[in-house]
Amino acid sequence: MPIEQTSADCFRAHIRAAFATRADEHGQGAQTGPTPVGASSLRMLWEATELSAHDFADEVARFWKLSRLSLPELMALPAATSQFSVRFLQEACVLPARTADGRHLLVVADPSDEAAVRAAAIVFGAPPRLAIASFEDIATALSEHLGRQTAAVQPAAPTDDDDVESLRDLASGAPVVRAVTELMERAVELRASDIHIEPFRNSLVVRMRVDGLLRPVPDRIGALPQALVSRIKILAGLNIAERRLPQDGAARLRVGRTEIDIRVATMPTQHGESAVIRLLPRDRGVLEIGKLGLSVADETKIRRMLDLPHGMVVVTGPTGSGKTTTLATMLHRLNEPSRKILTIEDPVEYEIPGINQSQVKPAIGLTFASALRAFVRQDPDVIMVGEVRDPETAHIAVHAALTGHLVLTTLHTETAAAAFARLLDLGVESFLLRSTLRAVIAQRLVRVLCERCKVRQTLDQEDLAAEPRYGLLGFAAGDVVHEPGGCERCQGTGYRGRLGVFEVLEMSDAVRQAVGPHTDAATIEDAGRREGMTLMVEDAVAKCRAGITAAAEVLRVTTVR
């Protein structure tokens, strides 16, 4: 027998032993039917294994002695989804149907979820027959069957575009509410950070940003564009009658078992209103500096900066580069009963107990600058300003750092050294920068290779000739890199999650001497390099060599200079 086959058999034997252990813990054997071990227990077990979704479903069917259905068989079943709520079907990952002889059938991925089976029996009026399919196949079949169901009951659009009440009624109807709920659930399932809803002349395009890249939603939404956007505006407390001006709003929703905050921004376009929904899960885990992806040297620098009693630390990068997460992690590190910490943000994305957090409201005059002026009268130890956008905010932040406060803030610049030029451009005098600025942290986010399917590759001369990017990043023949593969766990992309790449420019004596009224970024960067600063691209290449990310990702987010 081949070694690979022997390993696979041993692995499957281990999985079957795990099934048996779960069944024994509840006093039931495999032959006695469902075991109440929790609705997500088998999904968690599958994600912890290296089996594909189909192989795992085969093992489940074999252990529980139930029939195994493929995706074509699921699609051919006469579904009975209309009797169940969409949320229940998607959370429990079950497909109710009827057999050819009219009997009730419940297709499950986790037969140990006794609560789901019992709920289906109540709706059916009798215990259903069970069958097994993979988590992915059931999700695909549900999407198809529910899409047909929604299309069948889709109401007509209001005949008058100015009929706000008709639009409000349509936006509150079951099909539109269901479509928005399914959209949110799909985004949470994919770990999306944003949902983009874009109307065009003949279609509605919905895309989700997953791990930093937009991904189209292939399923039919089953709702009219104006009704869909109106429903989102109602959730966010916006004026659905105003379609000529951009609007911003927020809401707190419960999607499945997850509580999330959303930020909604609408924009009038040529073919209707577009909307961008930003999803902010409330439970993001513990904020730790060690989990940001900093190198040992850079982490040591940042910890040293945060131990200083006063000064200014700036985090820079474009929108979506993880600046807010880095700032929140720093605040979590500084959050002690002996310190008073005040923040002014737009919006408040991380709620941290023990920190006084405020959100800007320009409509009533609460801006970054006005909040900062009030902060200095509150006797704080640490001040966090979401962003320095104008000369007034920059001057107040610098003077707060000069008068004994530790100030954390962000800028939009490409490199760490460019932050000096930007602050000088905002009117901050060079001698104040030399006195107050302690460090600048520039960062980007690279996608992390999926541990389950990444492919190890030893480079040779042919690879270097075929892919010039390797030579551009300093790789040579014989070096080992990893490339994305693609599996069910990562949705076929080869990547799962993101990690930061950084360059930390500390205000050393050499950098301080280089700062002048007309100093450019290149001069400051050269001074930082002489003091041992690691460029962002170098940090990214080190992560590439460590098998964390791929060369293509390094070139996508960084600039070789």
Side-chain angles (χ1 to χ4, degrees):
M1 181 181 294
I3 294 177
E4 293 79 0
Q5 184 63 38
T6 302
S7 300
D9 290 343
C10 292
F11 196 78
R12 286 173 170 79
H14 172 71
I15 295 301
R16 289 193 291 272
F19 291 161
T21 300
R22 292 174 183 273
D24 291 342
E25 286 174 355
H26 296 270
Q28 292 181 324
Q31 293 81 7
T32 59
T35 305
V37 295
S40 63
S41 59
L42 289 195
R43 181 186 286 273
M44 293 171 61
L45 180 60
W46 164 57
E47 290 182 349
T49 71
E50 297 180 0
L51 291 179
S52 69
H54 299 293
D55 290 342
F56 189 84
D58 290 341
E59 295 299 322
V60 172
R62 187 176 298 114
F63 181 79
W64 265 272
K65 297 184 175 11
L66 294 172
S67 58
R68 168 80 162 89
L69 300 182
S70 63
L71 181 58
E73 290 172 321
L74 289 184
M75 303 303 292
L77 283 174
T81 54
S82 59
Q83 299 174 258
F84 297 81
S85 72
V86 174
R87 178 172 296 179
F88 167 76
L89 296 177
Q90 293 181 334
E91 282 188 14
C93 196
V94 297
L95 177 66
R98 295 186 183 277
T99 60
D101 57 1
R103 295 177 59 189
H104 300 300
L105 176 67
L106 188 68
V107 184
V108 300
D110 183 357
S112 69
D113 186 2
E114 190 175 60
V117 177
R118 188 164 54 246
I122 293 173
V123 174
F124 282 139
R129 202 182 97 199
L130 296 184
I132 300 295
S134 70
F135 287 102
E136 277 78 7
D137 286 351
I138 292 179
T140 301
L142 278 176
S143 178
E144 180 66 22
H145 288 301
L146 293 174
R148 293 174 189 166
Q149 177 180 317
T150 302
V153 297
Q154 178 64 41
T159 55
D160 185 357
D161 285 340
D162 295 326
D163 190 350
V164 176
E165 288 306 316
S166 296
L167 189 58
R168 187 185 300 274
D169 292 340
L170 181 59
S172 302
V176 178
V177 172
R178 185 185 300 116
V180 173
T181 300
E182 291 176 1
L183 200 60
M184 296 291 183
E185 290 174 344
R186 179 74 180 276
V188 170
E189 180 185 350
L190 292 176
R191 301 172 297 103
S193 59
D194 305 273
I195 304 173
H196 294 249
I197 301 172
E198 303 158 324
F200 293 97
R201 184 185 298 274
N202 299 316
S203 63
L204 176 69
V205 176
V206 178
R207 297 184 290 174
M208 296 182 182
R209 190 177 296 279
V210 181
D211 292 338
L213 294 183
L214 285 172
R215 182 184 301 179
V217 177
D219 301 333
R220 186 180 185 275
I221 299 302
L224 296 166
Q226 62 266 41
L228 192 69
V229 174
S230 295
R231 174 61 186 170
I232 293 167
K233 291 167 74 174
I234 289 172
L235 288 175
L238 302 180
N239 182 7
I240 67 169
E242 179 55 76
R243 308 172 204 166
R244 301 166 300 169
L245 296 174
Q247 295 188 69
D248 295 313
R252 180 169 296 175
L253 305 176
R254 187 161 192 86
V255 180
R257 298 171 182 172
T258 305
E259 190 174 2
I260 63 172
D261 290 333
I262 64 170
R263 301 288 184 266
V264 176
T266 64
M267 171 67 68
T269 66
Q270 186 176 2
H271 301 292
E273 281 184 292
S274 69
V276 177
I277 308 168
R278 184 153 192 206
L279 281 69
L280 307 171
R282 294 178 57 76
D283 182 12
R284 299 190 181 192
V286 179
L287 298 169
E288 295 180 4
I289 291 181
K291 294 183 178 180
L292 293 176
L294 290 157
S295 66
V296 175
D298 288 344
E299 183 177 338
T300 301
K301 290 179 184 177
I302 291 177
R303 290 184 183 275
R304 186 167 60 246
M305 294 304 105
L306 296 180
D307 288 335
L308 295 174
H310 53 80
M312 187 163 70
V313 177
V314 178
V315 183
T316 127
T319 301
S321 60
K323 300 187 300 296
T324 302
T325 300
T326 300
L327 281 179
T329 304
M330 291 179 179
L331 290 176
H332 188 272
R333 163 80 164 70
L334 293 167
N335 190 14
E336 296 177 354
S338 60
R339 288 193 180 101
K340 179 162 185 174
I341 303 176
L342 300 177
T343 78
I344 179 68
E345 307 170 56
D346 183 21
V348 176
E349 295 187 16
Y350 289 87
E351 291 187 12
I352 307 175
I355 295 180
N356 300 276
Q357 297 175 266
S358 305
Q359 182 168 319
V360 298
K361 297 177 182 176
I364 61 173
L366 181 57
T367 62
F368 285 121
S370 62
L372 264 177
R373 282 195 297 268
F375 279 1
V376 295
R377 296 190 291 270
Q378 295 287 318
D379 189 28
D381 297 294
V382 180
I383 297 173
M384 193 273 269
V385 186
E387 183 185 345
V388 171
R389 298 176 177 173
D390 52 70
E392 184 182 11
T393 306
H395 278 88
I396 298 173
V398 167
H399 282 88
L402 196 63
T403 54
H405 305 91
L406 180 61
V407 179
L408 310 179
T409 189
T410 72
L411 281 174
H412 284 84
T413 63
E414 183 180 356
T415 65
F420 289 81
R422 175 60 178 153
L423 289 170
L424 290 170
D425 182 58
L426 287 172
V428 179
E429 291 85 352
S430 57
F431 72 89
L432 288 178
L433 278 185
R434 290 194 295 268
S435 302
T436 59
L437 196 57
R438 298 292 179 258
V440 181
I441 305 163
Q443 70 177 84
R444 300 288 190 278
L445 293 175
V446 294
R447 291 184 294 169
V448 177
L449 288 166
C450 176
E451 286 293 334
R452 188 175 291 176
C453 64
K454 65 180 181 181
V455 180
R456 178 186 172 94
Q457 180 181 359
T458 302
L459 298 178
D460 55 27
Q461 292 297 339
E462 293 182 0
D463 295 325
L464 296 175
E467 287 287 355
R469 65 188 181 189
Y470 291 126
L472 193 63
L473 296 176
F475 287 97
D479 288 345
V480 175
V481 296
H482 290 79
E483 294 295 331
C487 64
E488 293 89 348
R489 182 173 179 267
C490 62
Q491 308 289 325
T493 63
Y495 299 94
R496 186 176 173 85
R498 289 189 291 174
L499 195 67
V501 291
F502 301 87
E503 61 184 32
V504 180
L505 178 55
E506 193 174 6
M507 181 64 88
S508 62
D509 290 338
V511 174
R512 188 175 288 108
Q513 292 173 6
V515 176
H518 306 290
T519 306
D520 59 8
T523 302
I524 294 175
E525 185 173 288
D526 289 342
R529 293 282 285 164
R530 289 195 299 271
E531 295 290 319
M533 181 185 77
T534 301
L535 293 180
M536 192 186 307
V537 66
E538 295 170 342
D539 186 38
V541 169
K543 289 180 170 64
C544 183
R545 291 183 181 276
I548 297 172
T549 190
E553 275 295 289
V554 175
L555 291 177
R556 184 179 69 86
V557 302
T558 64
T559 302
V560 179
R561 60 186 194 272

